[in-house]
């Protein structure tokens, strides 16, 4: 059994957190490959080391004195080293970083040092080999990621390796220029390592006990999802639910490796399993609820529209020409509505309207703004009668006016459009009807 374990910044913010991580790793010998993030916030209002590095580098770039800022970063690491009683010096590394900052080695290089240094500490603490991600995670010179070369380099390097620490978030181009993934990218590194060693499990340790059924800012203490498929996760993440970097699922999905989201502060909790497919019935009919505010709808009406071949294409072409992507497109016999992001649409509103008039000569174009979309996602819906009925009666009881309904033919989700001001009430009503009533 081989597991890759990735620990997020809050799991490695100080020595106490490192000790919890050490206990987790030592309690299971299959946890052989460790991917650390940079130290995160120790308390609310604290600053993540990655942000400190960005700021410090900006100062260096402006020709300002950055030594004090670098010293504050160094202090964060030495606080951990001392707290763990390690006999480890990072003097050489910090001297190198100072020189590289003076030489303007780049913003991505600067940010990557957070994971690099934490990886050094983690390797010393666990007695594992340290592998610099710059040697095994490959980017193209233009910053694009190169998955296949990475997979080759990583599998070759890790093939005979018993245990190793591979820092997250960064890699390098073939000529050694350090590049990073977007923020939160250590999740991607963990997934790449899991793919390369054909791991049995990719454990992603964070500060929540899994992927929650809905946003805890809307519903107090929502329950965690026991198991979720990659497809369900995609639907929910797209609609704003976050727990994992968006790109982290692709490498493991290719190999059918499950991801287990776990809580460093509550290691006894099983967390959420993210899997390709499962015959495990979800506990509730729905798996999750996510949503976003800030959409606009543009409804186009024209008599006998249904007879006009290419009508839909012509309308969508107008949006494409203006560089606006559309979210949903429910249609009736003589009407068609396009949902778009309000902020993308607003500046181009008049060009779009004129474009529609030119393209299809409509009878009427109507617009509505400040709309929210809610996705109710669940593989369990397919085999359960009455799911939609329950959602809409719950919304009616909560006095929420439904503006749009779109059920994908996969029966994996139902998208509901409501007014922005009804968004939270609607999410709570749907959560209550499925989770609080236990079915
Ligand atoms: N340290 C980086 C960030 O703060 C990457 C990560 O934590 O995954 O975004």
């Amino acid at each position: 059994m081989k597991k890759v374990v990735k620990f997020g910044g809050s799991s490695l913010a100080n020595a106490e957190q490192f000790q919890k991580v050490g206990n987790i790793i030592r309690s299971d010998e299959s946890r052989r490959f460790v991917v650390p993030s940079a130290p995160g916030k120790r308390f609310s209002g604290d600053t993540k080391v990655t942000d400190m590095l960005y700021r410090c580098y900006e100062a260096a770039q402006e020709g300002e004195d950055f030594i004090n800022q670098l010293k504050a970063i160094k202090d964060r690491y030495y606080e951990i080293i001392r707290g763990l009683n390690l006999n480890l010096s990072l003097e050489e590394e910090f001297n190198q970083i100072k020189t590289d900052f003076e030489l303007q080695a780049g913003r991505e290089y600067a940010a990557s040092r957070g994971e690099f240094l934490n990886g050094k500490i983690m390797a010393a603490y666990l007695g594992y080999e340290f592998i610099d991600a710059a040697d095994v995670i490959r980017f193209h010179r233009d910053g694009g990621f190169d998955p296949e070369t990475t997979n080759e380099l990583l599998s070759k390097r890790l093939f005979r390796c018993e245990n190793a620490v591979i820092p997250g978030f960064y890699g390098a181009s073939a000529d050694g220029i350090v590049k990073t993934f977007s923020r939160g990218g250590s999740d991607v590194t963990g997934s790449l390592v899991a793919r390369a060693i054909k791991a049995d499990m990719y454990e992603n340790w964070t500060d929540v006990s899994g992927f929650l059924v809905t946003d805890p800012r809307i519903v107090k203490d929502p329950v965690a999802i026991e198991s979720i498929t990659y497809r369900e996760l995609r639907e929910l993440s797209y609609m704003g639910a976050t727990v994992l970097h968006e790109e982290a699922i692709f490498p493991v999905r290719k190999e059918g490796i499950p991801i287990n989201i776990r809580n460093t502060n509550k290691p006894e909790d099983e967390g959420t399993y993210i899997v390709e497919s499962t015959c495990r019935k979800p506990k509730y009919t729905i798996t999750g609820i996510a949503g976003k505010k800030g959409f606009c709808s543009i409804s186009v009406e024209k008599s006998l529209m249904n007879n006009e071949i290419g009508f839909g294409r012509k309308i969508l072409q107008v949006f494409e020409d203006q560089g606006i992507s559309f979210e949903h497109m429910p249609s009736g016999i003589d009407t068609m509505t396009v949902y778009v992001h309000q902020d993308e649409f607003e500046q181009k509103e008049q060009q779009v309207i004129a474009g529609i008039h030119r393209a299809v000569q409509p009878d009427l174009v109507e617009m509505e703004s400040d709309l929210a979309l809610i996705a109710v996602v669940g593989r369990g819906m397919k085999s359960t009668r009455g799911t939609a009925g329950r959602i809409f009666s719950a919304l009616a009881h909560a006095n929420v006016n439904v503006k749009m309904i779109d059920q994908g033919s996969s029966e994996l989700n139902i998208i509901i459009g409501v007014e922005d001001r009804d968004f939270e009430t609607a999410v709570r009503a749907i959560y209550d009807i499925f989770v609080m009533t236990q079915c």
Side-chain angles (χ1 to χ4, degrees):
M1 183 94 158
K2 284 182 286 191
K3 288 182 185 169
V4 172
V5 285
K6 179 258 164 180
F7 291 91
S10 59
S11 301
L12 299 168
N14 57 25
E16 199 190 319
Q17 290 299 89
F18 256 79
Q19 274 154 352
K20 290 184 194 167
V21 166
N23 292 339
I24 290 167
I25 295 171
R26 291 188 197 102
S27 69
D28 179 351
E29 57 182 34
S30 60
R31 293 181 175 138
R32 289 173 41 194
F33 299 94
V34 182
V35 175
S37 281
K41 293 182 184 182
R42 292 161 294 183
F43 43 83
S44 94
D46 196 15
T47 310
K48 288 176 165 195
V49 165
T50 309
D51 292 314
M52 295 171 85
L53 282 160
Y54 279 128
R55 273 183 225 156
C56 179
Y57 186 71
E58 268 157 35
Q61 246 181 336
E62 305 279 300
E64 290 165 17
D65 184 11
F66 64 92
I67 300 305
N68 281 340
Q69 293 191 46
L70 195 59
K71 161 106 181 24
I73 296 167
K74 193 167 160 184
D75 289 346
R76 289 285 307 261
Y77 287 101
Y78 272 96
E79 183 190 301
I80 299 173
I81 293 174
R82 271 194 304 276
L84 295 174
N85 277 325
L86 287 178
N87 184 11
L88 174 72
S89 163
L90 293 176
E91 292 310 306
E92 224 177 86
E93 285 79 2
F94 272 98
N95 286 337
Q96 185 67 52
I97 292 171
K98 178 173 167 278
T99 312
D100 291 336
F101 275 29
E102 279 159 357
L103 296 171
Q104 317 247 317
R107 204 169 171 267
E108 292 180 60
Y109 165 82
S112 76
R113 297 304 87 186
E115 273 68 13
F116 172 80
L117 295 163
N118 231 17
K120 289 264 170 179
I121 299 181
M122 180 66 89
Y125 178 53
L126 296 171
Y128 282 15
E129 186 181 344
F130 173 83
I131 296 178
D132 190 347
D135 299 332
V136 284
I137 306 284
R138 182 64 76 239
F139 284 80
H140 299 294
R141 195 111 217 261
D142 66 5
F145 175 59
D146 179 353
E148 292 320 314
T149 313
T150 297
N151 196 43
E152 262 169 54
L153 289 170
L154 261 177
S155 16
K156 223 184 263 166
R157 182 71 180 77
L158 299 178
F159 181 58
R160 277 180 225 291
C161 190
E162 204 38 48
N163 303 102
V165 173
I166 307 107
F169 189 40
Y170 72 94
S173 59
D175 48 1
I177 311 286
V178 170
K179 307 273 178 194
T180 57
F181 293 109
S182 54
R183 296 297 303 263
S186 300
D187 286 341
V188 185
T189 311
S191 182
L192 294 167
V193 174
R195 175 188 175 199
I197 63 152
K198 302 201 186 320
D200 297 285
M201 180 73 75
Y202 169 28
E203 288 180 348
N204 190 295
W205 291 81
T206 172
D207 53 7
V208 282
S209 290
F211 199 45
L212 304 174
V213 168
T214 195
D215 189 336
R217 288 167 301 185
I218 301 176
V219 170
K220 194 165 177 281
D221 294 330
V223 293
I225 298 167
E226 288 174 359
S227 61
I228 180 170
T229 64
Y230 289 125
R231 286 172 68 213
E232 290 173 309
L233 182 71
R234 277 290 292 154
E235 301 278 349
L236 289 170
S237 322
Y238 184 72
M239 287 304 272
T242 50
V243 75
L244 205 61
H245 191 289
E246 239 191 2
E247 284 154 45
I249 59 175
F250 300 110
V252 279
R253 192 175 179 176
K254 267 199 176 134
E255 294 291 330
I257 301 165
I259 306 175
N260 186 196
I261 309 285
R262 301 285 292 262
N263 188 348
T264 301
N265 304 316
K266 286 190 182 166
E268 63 288 356
D269 288 356
E270 272 227 36
T272 301
Y273 287 92
I274 307 169
V275 295
E276 176 65 50
S277 59
T278 174
C279 60
R280 262 168 91 160
K281 286 247 166 354
K283 190 163 173 195
Y284 314 102
T285 308
I286 58 154
T287 303
I289 312 158
K292 282 186 201 166
K293 291 183 179 178
F295 292 92
C296 267
S297 69
I298 300 98
S299 299
V300 184
E301 207 177 302
K302 187 177 183 188
S303 305
L304 299 177
M305 167 188 130
N306 60 326
N307 288 339
E308 207 175 311
I309 293 174
F311 193 91
R313 181 188 51 75
K314 286 180 206 157
I315 300 260
L316 292 182
Q317 186 70 51
V318 175
F319 287 90
E320 185 179 337
D321 292 345
Q322 296 298 330
I324 301 172
S325 68
F326 77 97
E327 291 296 309
H328 289 281
M329 197 188 56
S331 63
I333 309 291
D334 286 336
T335 59
M336 180 176 150
T337 306
V338 182
Y339 277 76
V340 294
H341 285 275
Q342 197 158 326
D343 52 357
E344 264 182 53
F345 177 70
E346 264 169 5
Q347 313 111 23
K348 300 195 176 149
E349 179 191 76
Q350 294 308 314
Q351 290 94 307
V352 173
I353 307 295
I356 293 175
H357 278 279
R358 267 195 302 273
V360 297
Q361 296 83 44
D363 297 336
L364 187 68
V365 180
E366 265 181 339
M367 286 177 288
E368 195 168 345
S369 58
D370 299 322
L371 299 174
L373 293 177
I374 300 169
V376 184
V377 176
R379 61 189 185 278
M381 294 197 306
K382 209 169 182 157
S383 52
T384 317
R385 251 177 296 156
T387 310
R390 293 178 68 194
I391 294 175
F392 296 114
S393 75
L395 292 175
H397 276 111
N399 257 328
V400 173
N401 182 27
V402 175
K403 315 259 341 163
M404 190 271 289
I405 305 167
D406 189 358
Q407 176 173 16
S409 50
S410 62
E411 286 187 66
L412 188 68
N413 65 6
I414 297 177
I415 309 281
I416 301 149
V418 299
E419 283 176 34
D420 270 354
R421 64 188 156 116
D422 286 336
F423 175 65
E424 284 85 2
T425 312
V427 171
R428 274 185 222 116
I430 300 169
Y431 180 86
D432 284 351
I433 197 73
F434 288 102
V435 178
M436 303 312 278
T437 54
Q438 288 285 321
C439 42

